[in-house]
Amino acid sequence: MTATGPARRVIAEAARVTRIFGTFTAVGDVSMSVAEGEIVGLIGANGAGKTTLIRMLLGLLPASAGSVSLFEQVPSRKTRRRLGYVPQSLGLYTDLTVTENLRFTAHAFGSDTPTTLPDELSAVKDRLVGAIGLGLQRQLAFVAALAHTPPLLVLDEPTSGVDPLARSRLWDTIHDQADRGVGVLVTTHYMQEADQCDRLVIMVAGRVAAAGTVREIVGGRKAVQVDTNAWEQAFRALTAAQVPVLLAGRSVRVPDASVHDVEQVLAGAGISSNVTAVPSTLEETLVTLGRANSGSAPAI
């Protein structure tokens, strides 16, 4: 985590932004910001509005309402030249070599600083990007995004599809940049990566469902844990009761439910078990937030 201290300058901000496509509201009345030297995680399921929000923040998509700023200015080509952006598509040219991709990016950002490649990329520098693996492609996208030493990094699902070791290396790079004062906005599906962020913005159906640190978002929420040898039967019985059910190993967990109600369902199914209330995880909190914001509620 980056160190706390005096208030840091906000370098990217969305103020009550909305984006409407026809009759569909992709993002509704969302506010968020990124300051120098902090890592902000934008968390949400597919379709939650994360990428649409990023595109508005970068000035690639106009907002239907609200305002956005980059480096305290209206987003423009000038302000975008000061950021490093890794989109979900990676933004690489598969019919160019690794070296050619880096040269093109350097020219686009007006950088003449030679780029030092990590050993893995150096070994394939003359190969077409389309012929190297996804893990190496993601490393290259990071190198290209950092080549002009930008003060802001915007990373849209940067670790998707890579192995755990490569994911850890990419997060080391993110932390190194934040320690240098670079602001980072990152989207991710991996809940274990949320702990890597200084703050989180949780999006559900285009709106902010919660914001703050992991501890602040989870708060005092509880889940119900079911320990039983008949865990598969318990899972099916609770699912039939139309409640969200998660598995932690062979323990069945039910977010935002009461011990009594879970015991009643299991007793009705003839399942012997030990049922206890436990602190909720972030993933379970997201399930609860999602149900609350969709208007649904536990059936038990």
Side-chain angles (χ1 to χ4, degrees):
M1 285 298 167
T2 54
T4 59
R8 294 167 288 191
R9 183 170 70 101
V10 172
I11 54 178
E13 184 172 23
R16 304 198 67 174
V17 295
T18 294
R19 175 65 198 194
I20 299 173
F21 296 95
T23 60
F24 175 66
T25 300
V27 173
D29 197 27
V30 169
S31 296
M32 56 83 62
S33 65
V34 182
E36 295 174 324
E38 76 166 342
I39 303 171
V40 177
L42 193 57
I43 310 295
N46 286 332
K50 304 186 301 297
T51 298
T52 300
L53 176 60
I54 285 177
R55 290 178 61 81
M56 286 191 289
L57 190 64
L58 300 185
L60 302 175
L61 187 68
S64 303
S67 62
V68 296
S69 67
L70 272 180
F71 308 108
E72 303 174 306
Q73 299 178 45
V74 175
S76 64
R77 287 186 179 182
K78 179 181 177 181
T79 57
R80 284 196 293 270
R81 286 171 71 95
R82 299 183 61 196
L83 63 86
Y85 179 35
V86 179
Q88 289 187 31
S89 62
L90 300 183
L92 302 172
Y93 294 91
T94 57
D95 56 348
L96 296 180
T97 67
V98 168
T99 299
E100 288 168 340
N101 267 273
L102 290 174
R103 285 175 180 167
F104 177 84
T105 302
H107 180 74
F109 284 94
S111 173
D112 57 5
T113 303
T115 301
T116 301
L117 289 173
D119 292 341
E120 298 93 335
L121 285 175
S122 183
V124 296
K125 65 181 181 179
D126 295 321
R127 292 178 60 183
L128 295 179
V129 166
I132 65 176
L134 178 59
L136 288 175
Q137 289 182 15
R138 290 205 176 276
Q139 283 190 53
L140 176 59
F142 261 68
V143 171
L146 295 172
H148 57 296
T149 60
L152 172 65
L153 277 177
V154 179
L155 312 172
D156 197 1
E157 302 284 354
T159 62
S160 178
V162 301
D163 62 74
L165 182 57
R167 193 180 305 153
S168 295
R169 288 172 177 167
L170 292 177
W171 271 101
D172 284 343
T173 300
I174 292 172
H175 283 290
D176 287 343
Q177 293 299 309
D179 289 342
R180 294 185 175 98
V182 174
V184 183
L185 175 62
V186 56
T187 74
T188 180
H189 280 116
Y190 298 107
M191 290 304 100
Q192 63 268 37
E193 293 185 354
D195 285 325
Q196 305 269 9
C197 301
D198 297 305
R199 291 191 295 113
L200 301 177
V201 177
I202 310 296
M203 291 189 68
V204 176
R207 297 183 180 273
V208 174
T213 64
V214 172
R215 179 174 294 182
E216 289 168 344
I217 291 171
V218 173
R221 297 179 188 272
K222 296 288 186 180
V224 172
Q225 179 166 308
V226 178
D227 293 300
T228 174
N229 290 330
W231 60 274
E232 294 179 84
Q233 294 94 316
F235 186 93
R236 286 195 290 267
L238 290 164
T239 300
Q242 298 182 347
V243 296
V245 188
L246 302 174
L247 284 175
R250 291 189 174 185
S251 292
V252 177
R253 293 173 65 103
V254 185
D256 197 32
S258 74
V259 169
H260 173 75
D261 289 340
V262 171
E263 286 177 333
Q264 291 284 68
V265 171
L266 297 177
I271 299 170
S272 176
S273 62
N274 179 40
V275 181
T276 56
V278 296
S280 181
T281 65
L282 178 62
E283 182 179 7
E284 290 161 353
T285 299
L286 294 186
V287 171
T288 300
L289 290 171
R291 289 172 66 82
N293 283 272
S294 67
S296 61
I300 63 173

